[in-house]
Amino acid sequence: MSSSDLLLNPHTYNPTHFDDETRELLAATIAWFEERGLTKLTEDYYGKVFYQEFLDFVAEKQLFAKFLTPAGQEGAVDGARWDTARVAAFSEILGFYGLNYWYPWQVTALGLGPVWQSENPAARKITAEFMAAGEVAAFGLSDKDHGADVYSTDMRLTPTDDGYLANGGKYYIGNGNCARTVSVFGRIDSADDKPEYVFFRADSTHPAFELIKNIVPSQMYVAAFQLNDYPVREEDILHRGNDAFSAAMNTVNVGKFNLCFGGIGMATHAFYEAITHASNRVLYGAAVTTMPHVRAAFVEAYARLTGGRLFSDRAIDYFREANADDRRYLLYNAVTKMKVTTESEKIIGLLTEVVAAKSFEKDNYITIAANDVRGLPKLEGTVAVNLALINKFMPAYLFQAADLPEVPTRRDAANDDFLFKQGPARGLSKVRFHDSNAEFANASHIKNVAVFREQITEFMALLTDATPTAEQIGDMSFMLEVGQLFTQIVYGHLILEQARITGLEDEIVDQIFATIVRDFSGYAVSLYSKPLATDDQQKRMIAAIRRPAESDDSVTWEAVSALSGAYSMRD
């Protein structure tokens, strides 16, 4: 497989692995953006024009209804299914044209999570009917003062004769201005001071739903809203008690997987612009791309983009094969939220260094991408939160490998039932993983994979021979660096799996691992520098520092060069 086949090109996009209707809907989405053109895209962006025309298109084609409603749900449109593969494809396309269009899709997915997990048939049915009618959803979790600290939520439900009255505010709520289904997290206070936490369904068109403002200066509407004696009936209650907490966490497990593909889409579009500009830019009598530092930047950006794509594509399979006995997707989801999104930032950062002043012009997509890409790892969950989650899987991943069957590639037209039957959001330490050693060993003929294996050996020695103390484990600053090092192993593992499955050129894989080696060395230096690091730990981290093996980047550069002029959005 050529690496160029991995990148989305709207001019040639033909995902033959999808069914006819899915291909038609994805093609229609691309056509809608392409017909509008770059001028309209940028004008609306800087004019902060709300994306109602996009939502009208979504309603016309029933896109959200078909892609984000489980198959068999009463009230659903024909052809509805929650299929992670096509959800990912749609996420990438929307990211390719801008975060402002990806965002209402993303928060609709989150808003629907608690509903599709609920055993309340009335709430499920009316939500499916609203989706069929072209409506969107919202995820009412965060408070202004408490953020996502759900234990401290200010949303209160007071019992009445026929249900409850809800009072309180929510903040950072995408689609909060127009969603007919708002999944709201709150609490029912009791006389014994033991609150019962709940998820309930609200409607932004209700008179007791007060829309306060859009808290961001953007096309996006990120709402602050207040419920004032909002009537909540039993048929509106989605979850109670521990189930409400599990619904919140399990929704994140499903919905925020879209982050990685949104970032990949943004970085891909920016790459096309950057390489086309640089290839046709002559300075001092030579094309910019003949300058060694420019070539190096493009090679690195391409390697990072391809690596993120490989990891995310392989993660799809683990989501679709997940079951109560196989929850490896929980780790891979955390890595996509943290690692792939920050890779997108690095890619676009490298590209803006190349195009320089061009990345500030108002008529380019790359200017928009450079401004918005930083939101992916921050607004939808901080890097630190995801690293803390990743660390919970480290002992089982590294030291308790299980003999598990290989997960197949999953692009079939099937509903991913388990994603809404995940059960209690606990027991992460019991999740088991397959051994990564074999995958790394099989690829050890690739120079930089071999170098990375040496780094893994030193990291394992740190954990076994210079084991972090209780004080160090309790220090977030220290453990975040440990988590970054561990993440590189998980990241490289799935990249190798997908590279093997797709038959990707070894030369491209080598360049991907050159970036992983450099990143690992950087995190090793950071851990070495921590005040709590012991002498033995510092020695291990010094021993882990490597520079990438010298290798031929001509295959990667050929792939990069071929992208010049391969795509541009019409004016």
Side-chain angles (χ1 to χ4, degrees):
M1 178 182 185
S2 170
S3 61
S4 61
D5 296 330
L6 291 173
L7 301 186
L8 169 64
N9 183 338
H11 293 339
T12 60
Y13 187 62
N14 182 28
T16 56
H17 52 277
F18 287 131
D19 59 278
D20 290 344
E21 182 182 45
T22 298
R23 289 201 304 274
E24 290 169 4
L25 292 172
L26 296 176
T29 303
I30 288 172
W32 187 84
F33 283 106
E34 291 293 329
E35 287 167 7
R36 289 168 70 82
L38 184 60
T39 299
K40 178 64 172 171
L41 189 80
T42 55
E43 286 178 350
D44 285 357
Y45 179 85
Y46 293 111
K48 302 180 179 65
V49 177
F50 183 64
Y51 33 69
Q52 187 60 53
E53 289 180 321
F54 172 65
L55 296 183
D56 291 342
F57 164 73
V58 166
E60 176 193 350
K61 296 293 185 180
Q62 295 184 313
L63 283 161
F64 289 8
K66 290 188 175 184
F67 283 21
L68 296 180
T69 306
Q73 170 58 48
E74 185 180 3
V77 298
D78 291 339
R81 72 176 186 271
W82 194 296
D83 169 344
T84 302
R86 69 176 190 172
V87 166
F90 193 66
S91 297
E92 181 181 8
I93 290 170
L94 295 183
F96 189 93
Y97 291 107
L99 193 70
N100 286 295
Y101 300 97
W102 172 89
Y103 184 70
W105 153 262
Q106 161 70 1
V107 291
T108 294
L110 293 171
L112 293 172
V115 179
W116 302 145
Q117 294 176 67
S118 175
E119 296 184 3
N120 180 337
R124 290 171 61 96
K125 181 174 183 291
I126 193 172
T127 297
E129 291 171 344
F130 275 137
M131 294 304 297
E135 303 293 346
V136 297
F139 191 46
L141 188 68
S142 297
D143 291 3
K144 181 177 181 179
D145 294 331
H146 307 295
D149 176 11
V150 293
Y151 291 97
S152 303
T153 181
D154 290 329
M155 182 64 68
R156 299 292 199 272
L157 277 68
T158 304
T160 64
D161 292 339
D162 56 355
Y164 306 88
L165 291 178
N167 287 277
K170 290 292 179 180
Y171 210 69
Y172 304 120
I173 312 304
N175 290 353
N177 61 318
C178 59
R180 298 302 304 274
T181 295
V182 185
S183 295
V184 183
F185 190 89
R187 55 190 283 178
I188 303 171
D189 287 331
S190 60
D192 60 3
D193 200 30
K194 293 182 179 179
E196 180 181 31
Y197 293 93
V198 296
F199 253 119
F200 63 94
R201 183 187 169 282
D203 185 337
S204 69
T205 66
H206 194 283
F209 187 107
E210 179 189 358
L211 184 64
I212 297 173
K213 65 177 179 179
N214 186 358
I215 65 172
V216 298
S218 170
Q219 285 183 268
M220 295 184 285
Y221 203 107
V222 185
F225 72 79
Q226 183 81 16
L227 299 187
N228 303 307
D229 283 343
Y230 187 103
V232 178
R233 304 159 300 171
E234 282 299 328
E235 55 262 43
D236 299 318
I237 299 291
L238 301 173
H239 301 275
R240 292 176 177 271
N242 290 333
D243 288 346
F245 286 102
S246 291
M249 298 302 103
N250 292 340
T251 292
V252 169
N253 295 339
V254 177
K256 292 192 176 183
F257 184 55
N258 296 336
L259 290 164
C260 62
F261 285 97
I264 289 168
M266 294 174 73
T268 301
H269 194 160
F271 202 106
Y272 284 122
E273 275 197 350
I275 187 60
T276 300
H277 169 74
S279 297
N280 292 280
R281 177 77 162 167
V282 176
L283 293 178
Y284 310 111
V288 168
T289 49
T290 63
M291 299 177 181
H293 69 290
V294 170
R295 173 171 169 151
F298 272 120
V299 167
E300 179 179 348
Y302 188 82
R304 290 186 183 276
L305 180 55
T306 305
R309 164 105 251 172
L310 291 168
F311 182 91
S312 301
D313 279 351
R314 186 57 174 149
I316 289 172
D317 304 327
Y318 287 93
F319 270 78
R320 304 202 71 193
E321 283 288 290
N323 57 66
D325 297 320
D326 185 351
R327 299 195 295 160
R328 284 175 282 180
Y329 71 103
L330 295 174
L331 170 59
Y332 304 144
N333 185 45
V335 173
T336 60
K337 289 188 292 176
M338 185 281 292
K339 176 67 174 175
V340 180
T341 56
T342 53
E343 286 293 277
S344 297
E345 280 192 280
K346 290 177 182 177
I347 293 160
I348 293 174
L350 287 164
L351 299 175
T352 58
E353 287 293 326
V354 170
V355 301
K358 191 76 173 174
S359 67
F360 292 90
E361 295 182 11
K362 67 177 183 178
D363 298 326
N364 302 326
Y365 176 82
I366 195 171
T367 310
I368 293 173
N371 184 64
D372 288 350
V373 70
R374 62 193 180 93
L376 288 171
K378 298 176 180 66
L379 297 178
E380 295 287 353
T382 66
V383 168
V385 168
N386 285 300
L387 278 171
L389 177 59
I390 287 167
N391 279 344
K392 293 182 179 181
F393 297 99
M394 183 161 48
Y397 186 97
L398 294 177
F399 300 108
Q400 300 171 34
D403 184 13
L404 300 172
E406 175 153 345
V407 168
T409 298
R410 289 289 311 276
R411 298 299 181 270
D412 50 306
N415 194 70
D416 297 338
D417 296 330
F418 176 74
L419 298 183
F420 301 102
K421 299 176 182 177
Q422 296 176 64
R426 57 176 183 265
L428 301 186
S429 63
K430 297 179 181 179
V431 178
R432 291 295 176 266
F433 298 87
H434 54 303
D435 190 355
S436 65
N437 291 325
E439 200 71 55
F440 284 110
N442 288 339
S444 60
H445 62 282
I446 300 173
K447 290 182 180 180
N448 280 302
V449 174
V451 173
F452 185 54
R453 290 186 74 197
E454 296 173 3
Q455 293 179 306
I456 294 174
T457 298
E458 295 299 336
F459 179 64
M460 296 289 286
L462 178 141
L463 296 178
T464 56
D465 301 340
T467 308
T469 65
E471 182 184 9
Q472 290 172 332
I473 293 172
D475 184 271
M476 178 68 82
S477 177
F478 185 91
M479 289 307 296
L480 288 180
E481 298 304 332
V482 173
Q484 289 281 16
L485 292 163
F486 171 54
T487 296
Q488 306 309 305
I489 301 173
V490 179
Y491 194 60
H493 181 191
L494 257 61
I495 287 173
L496 287 179
E497 284 192 8
Q498 190 67 4
R500 168 175 52 81
I501 290 168
T502 59
L504 187 67
E505 305 102 311
D506 284 352
E507 293 87 350
I508 301 291
V509 177
D510 193 41
Q511 293 304 314
I512 293 170
F513 273 83
T515 71
I516 292 175
V517 168
R518 282 197 295 271
D519 289 349
F520 194 96
S521 295
Y523 295 127
V525 171
S526 294
L527 186 60
Y528 170 91
S529 303
K530 293 298 176 184
L532 289 181
T534 65
D535 290 344
D536 285 344
Q537 290 167 341
Q538 288 180 319
K539 290 175 182 177
R540 290 297 180 188
M541 289 300 92
I542 290 295
I545 295 173
R546 296 285 190 282
R547 69 178 182 183
E550 186 175 346
S551 55
D552 185 1
D553 68 0
S554 60
V555 172
T556 306
W557 180 245
E558 182 179 348
V560 170
S561 300
L563 297 178
S564 175
Y567 168 81
S568 62
M569 191 173 183
R570 77 173 185 87
D571 292 336

